[in-house]
Amino acid sequence: MPLGVLVFVAIVLLLLPLSLWQRVRSGGARRQAWPWLVTLNFWATLASTLGFALFATIASAWWPAAWLYAVIGWLAGVLLGVLGHALTRFESGPQALFYTPSTWLVALLTLMIAVWLVAGLVQLAGLGQWRALAGVRLAQSCRTAGDGSGAAGLRLDVCRAAAAQGAPSPALPGI
């Protein structure tokens, strides 16, 4: 891996806690509500929901329960939005409307994102182990491909395809 990529990843990992802390600090700050921004947010949310529905439809070709999980996630997001709106303080000024989001809700969502990032890094770190384990299982399967079972031809084809893609190649005659 190039040194520049390693340095970039190290900097991002070192600055991540500071970034999350700043997110919590600024997330509960008082802000002015702009009417044009509310309108833009509405239309962006509508477009996002339509895109989400499109990708859930595409995903349902591979995962039969994709729509169920998509609807559950969408409803959870709507409920979280309603909770956020209920916990937000609104103040009318002489010429503007101001709002202050709930700091604890911002902190909770930031914590959720941090846990999601850590879980992703843990899974990424374990990816090499899973690939190595899959390579061992493939090698074991390829070694027994000539054992006289009915699936021997299929296993030999899989072993040849894996070898062509650069997977760990077991010592098999003719491959």
Side-chain angles (χ1 to χ4, degrees):
M1 188 177 288
L3 181 61
V5 172
L6 290 175
V7 169
F8 175 74
V9 169
I11 290 172
V12 167
L13 289 178
L14 288 173
L15 292 178
L16 187 63
L18 178 65
S19 160
L20 293 174
W21 175 250
Q22 282 296 99
R23 178 72 177 165
V24 171
R25 277 188 60 225
S26 67
R30 182 177 184 249
R31 298 184 186 116
Q32 184 176 355
W34 299 96
W36 66 269
L37 195 56
V38 173
T39 303
L40 178 67
N41 194 8
F42 170 77
W43 289 108
T45 302
L46 183 62
S48 177
T49 300
L50 292 175
F52 183 67
L54 173 70
F55 286 111
T57 302
I58 293 169
S60 66
W62 291 278
W63 298 289
W67 260 107
L68 173 67
Y69 295 128
V71 168
I72 290 171
W74 186 82
L75 286 175
V78 167
L79 291 175
L80 189 61
V82 168
L83 176 66
H85 187 270
L87 295 175
T88 299
R89 285 192 331 247
F90 292 94
E91 306 166 20
S92 270
Q95 294 192 6
L97 176 68
F98 292 92
Y99 66 96
T100 306
S102 169
T103 305
W104 75 266
L105 187 59
V106 171
L108 184 67
L109 290 173
T110 304
L111 177 66
M112 185 179 73
I113 291 170
V115 167
W116 177 73
L117 285 172
V118 169
L121 289 174
V122 167
Q123 286 180 344
L124 184 63
L127 187 61
Q129 295 170 358
W130 286 108
R131 283 187 177 173
L133 181 60
V136 167
R137 287 187 179 165
L138 177 66
Q140 290 171 347
S141 175
C142 290
R143 276 191 219 105
T144 61
D147 64 359
S149 67
L154 175 63
R155 277 193 261 160
L156 280 173
D157 289 341
V158 168
C159 293
R160 285 190 183 105
Q165 292 180 0
S169 180
L172 281 178
I175 294 183

